[in-house]
Amino acid sequence: MSHLQNLLLDSLLGTKHVDSAALIKLHERSVCVASPGFSLMPSDVRTLVNGFAKNPLQTRREGLYFKEKDYKCVRADDYSLYAKNNAVYFDNPGGPENLYIKEVPKPIPGEGEVLLKVAVSALNRADLLQRQGQYHPPPGASSILGLEASGYVSELGPGCQGHWKIGDPAMALLPGGGQAQYVTVPEELLMSIPEGLTLHQAAAIPEVWLTSFQLLHLLGNVQAGETVLIHAGASAVGTAAIQLTRMAGAIPLVTAGSQNKLQMAEKLGAAAGFNYKEQDFCEATLKFTKGAGVNLILDCIGGSYWEKNVNCLALDGRWILYGLLGGEDVSGPLFSKLFYKRGSLITSRLRNRDKKYKQMLVKAFTEQILPHFSKEGPQRLLPVLDRVYPMAEIQAAHEYMQANRNVGKIVLELPQ
């Protein structure tokens, strides 16, 4: 036993992994060799001793290696059974003070899945609602917060088609689990990081930009020359929707709650912005469109906006509801007003869509939109970052978003 430990320590001497562990793969079985501070099961020791006896070792500074190709030993790093997987966690629904960092089991990639070592994750309104007990993850999804992340491919599960290699940088659309150091992702829901973007910028793309792309194109069928009213225009989805609306040749109008937010929206391409705290956005919209109304509304507010929305909707207009921040109750003649306008009310949620739909969405976005993040010129797309918080300050990040102070995206740096 001490001989095995000494071999391990000798091989790792001078590296930062001395106080960790190493993983040895004997054929298809993974076995852990432990340095001081860890214990070994007797069965593991027997397996190791038998393996060592039959297969002479080479000791190198970077690790132990069997001479035969079927066997290998790696340093104690991402592959170690003892690699930490810290995650944002809460035991009971409630306020930001309920959040804390907890070490959780490292996930194992299944058939067709990739293990992503997360460098940066992002915060979404869905995270706040889930923390409050109002938005549960879809069946089978991780209960850990986080719908998007960027990082590096750490492991390939069985059945992967060879699109990704270990060490590749990538960003991922997730149903949950992104606010942890490791998360598993179906390989089709990974996207390459556009050239010139940082990991922080990449983490701000998947959930937000795929949502905006879906609302505008797959559901809203936006056309050049149409007018689009975007509520919460300085939110992450709003800042993405402004840019995508412009790229489609349509005219974006926005609502927001401060002059600072309206100025940011206009810098991104909004033709006009209305402060809903100081003016009636319906009247302002009708004035801008000379009474015609808007062809498309992207609405994350819901109940409290219903009457103004339908009043400023153009004939045959489309009203897409993707959030209920303003409540879920409607009191009044919604149907008759919508019927009079021949309007369409479409509802959408991305998180609980099935895997096939998300694969289609990621493929279409990758082909049609992703290249524009790397192009120079007027049609270049850019994720808008507001603040970067270390993972340990997750409570402060939630408080900041809950106060509705952010312009663009809030991202979280995970410890490496």
Side-chain angles (χ1 to χ4, degrees):
M1 180 64 181
S2 59
H3 174 65
L4 299 182
Q5 288 186 341
N6 288 336
L7 272 175
L8 176 66
L9 289 174
D10 286 345
S11 68
L12 300 179
L13 191 60
T15 77
K16 62 182 179 180
H17 306 292
V18 170
D19 60 351
S20 299
L23 177 68
I24 291 181
K25 189 170 184 180
L26 303 175
H27 292 295
E28 295 305 317
R29 180 176 177 183
S30 295
V31 182
C32 177
V33 176
S35 57
F38 295 97
S39 60
L40 286 172
M41 297 298 291
S43 58
D44 290 339
V45 174
R46 284 194 297 273
T47 302
L48 285 168
V49 170
N50 291 338
F52 288 176
K54 296 177 182 177
N55 301 280
L57 289 171
Q58 291 180 341
T59 302
R60 301 179 187 169
R61 192 172 186 79
E62 68 271 21
L64 301 177
Y65 290 82
F66 289 104
K67 290 183 178 179
E68 280 69 14
K69 294 181 180 179
D70 291 341
Y71 300 84
K72 64 180 179 180
C73 170
V74 298
R75 290 182 300 169
D77 51 18
D78 296 349
Y79 307 102
S80 173
L81 294 177
Y82 289 106
K84 288 186 178 180
N85 185 34
N86 289 319
V88 173
Y89 213 80
F90 62 95
D91 296 312
N92 299 298
E97 67 278 2
N98 286 16
L99 296 168
Y100 67 100
I101 307 303
K102 178 180 179 179
E103 189 169 341
V104 298
K106 182 178 170 184
I108 299 172
E111 185 75 22
E113 290 185 334
V114 166
L115 183 67
L116 186 73
K117 184 176 184 182
V118 178
V120 186
S121 187
L123 203 57
N124 288 279
R125 287 282 172 184
D127 298 318
L128 273 63
L129 293 172
Q130 184 175 331
R131 185 206 74 218
Q132 294 164 352
Q134 299 176 26
Y135 191 13
H136 300 292
S142 171
S143 61
I144 295 169
L145 303 177
L147 305 183
E148 54 196 338
S150 65
Y152 299 94
V153 173
S154 177
E155 188 177 338
L156 303 175
C160 284
Q161 299 301 308
H163 305 305
W164 299 95
K165 303 186 301 297
I166 291 175
D168 282 348
M171 55 187 182
L173 175 68
L174 305 163
Q179 291 173 25
Q181 289 177 282
Y182 293 90
V183 65
T184 54
V185 192
E187 60 177 337
E188 298 90 350
L189 301 187
L190 280 180
M191 292 174 282
S192 297
I193 295 177
E195 185 178 352
L197 292 193
T198 66
L199 288 169
H200 293 79
Q201 291 172 312
I205 291 177
E207 172 71 15
V208 163
W209 285 80
L210 284 164
T211 294
S212 298
F213 174 69
Q214 174 195 226
L215 298 178
L216 285 166
H217 291 279
L218 275 66
L219 302 175
N221 192 29
V222 66
Q223 301 295 311
E226 291 189 322
T227 307
V228 181
L229 178 60
I230 303 164
H231 289 309
S235 68
V237 171
T239 58
I242 292 168
Q243 296 177 69
L244 291 177
T245 298
R246 276 294 183 194
M247 199 173 82
I251 303 164
L253 310 178
V254 302
T255 64
S258 72
Q259 191 60 32
N260 178 49
K261 291 183 176 182
L262 292 177
Q263 288 173 351
M264 169 60 78
E266 289 175 6
K267 284 182 181 179
L268 292 171
F274 316 122
N275 188 332
Y276 64 84
K277 295 180 180 179
E278 299 177 353
Q279 66 183 134
D280 185 323
F281 72 79
C282 177
E283 291 180 3
T285 298
L286 289 171
K287 183 179 180 180
F288 182 91
T289 60
K290 297 180 172 56
V294 294
N295 306 103
L296 181 61
I297 300 175
L298 305 187
D299 179 21
C300 59
I301 307 300
S304 62
Y305 275 14
W306 81 265
E307 192 165 17
K308 291 180 180 180
N309 277 336
V310 75
N311 285 344
C312 69
L313 191 66
L315 283 173
D316 299 310
R318 292 92 68 202
W319 169 13
I320 302 179
L321 181 67
Y322 70 99
L324 296 170
L325 295 177
E328 57 190 28
D329 295 330
V330 172
S331 177
L334 167 62
F335 292 137
S336 63
K337 285 178 175 286
L338 196 61
F339 184 74
Y340 177 77
K341 292 283 186 80
R342 299 195 305 266
S344 299
L345 176 58
I346 304 164
T347 63
S348 175
R349 291 169 65 194
L350 177 56
R351 186 181 188 184
N352 66 348
R353 293 276 192 174
D354 62 29
K355 180 181 173 182
K356 185 177 181 181
Y357 178 90
K358 290 180 180 179
Q359 289 174 355
M360 175 276 296
L361 182 63
V362 167
K363 185 175 186 295
F365 180 83
T366 299
E367 293 172 353
Q368 299 174 35
I369 306 299
L370 206 57
H372 290 276
F373 286 95
S374 298
K375 289 182 178 178
E376 295 295 336
Q379 283 204 326
R380 185 182 183 187
L381 302 174
L382 191 67
V384 178
L385 297 186
D386 182 290
R387 286 198 176 188
V388 179
Y389 284 90
M391 185 187 193
E393 296 180 16
I394 185 62
Q395 293 183 5
H398 272 240
E399 289 169 357
Y400 185 71
M401 175 174 272
Q402 195 163 296
N404 202 30
R405 295 168 61 191
N406 58 298
V407 178
K409 200 70 174 172
I410 300 168
V411 297
L412 302 172
E413 283 182 334
L414 277 78
Q416 298 300 300

